[in-house]
Amino acid sequence: MSVAAAEALLRAAGALPDDAIDGRMVLVAPHEPTFWRQRGHLHRRLGNLRAAIHRRAQVLALAGSEATRHGVAQEIRVRRSRLNRARRQAKGSG
């Protein structure tokens, strides 16, 4: 059974929350960019842009095609821009 199939079965059964499954899948298949991408989405939704950027960097390092690398690099630029903007706003209000 593939890692993706195991992940789908665990999610469908409701055995573990999505973030726990994603974390375990990264441990099981650290060279699979899909799991790093999912972790990045989770961190972005939680508002942890620094961790989201780090996860995207992992995807970039593991990406196979030039088109994928280009898209991920663009996502990293957007996340860094948002993080820098948030830092400037926090500095200005503090």
Side-chain angles (χ1 to χ4, degrees):
M1 176 182 294
S2 73
V3 174
E7 176 191 35
L9 286 174
L10 287 171
R11 280 201 174 123
L16 293 169
D18 286 350
D19 60 332
I21 293 171
D22 289 342
R24 289 189 175 136
M25 290 299 155
V26 165
L27 293 175
V28 170
H31 299 294
E32 178 58 48
T34 302
F35 300 131
W36 289 104
R37 181 180 295 271
Q38 290 171 347
R39 296 296 293 171
H41 284 305
L42 173 67
H43 284 290
R44 181 183 48 82
R45 286 192 314 262
L46 294 173
N48 189 348
L49 293 177
R50 187 173 296 143
I53 291 167
H54 176 72
R55 298 326 182 260
R56 289 296 195 211
Q58 285 296 116
V59 174
L60 184 62
L62 297 171
S65 73
E66 183 64 32
T68 301
R69 284 193 297 273
H70 178 74
V72 172
Q74 178 62 29
E75 291 174 10
I76 290 171
R77 283 191 291 275
V78 168
R79 304 274 184 273
R80 284 185 178 151
S81 175
R82 288 181 185 162
L83 181 60
N84 290 334
R85 191 175 330 126
R87 286 180 180 164
R88 284 192 302 272
Q89 288 174 348
K91 200 181 281 189
S93 65

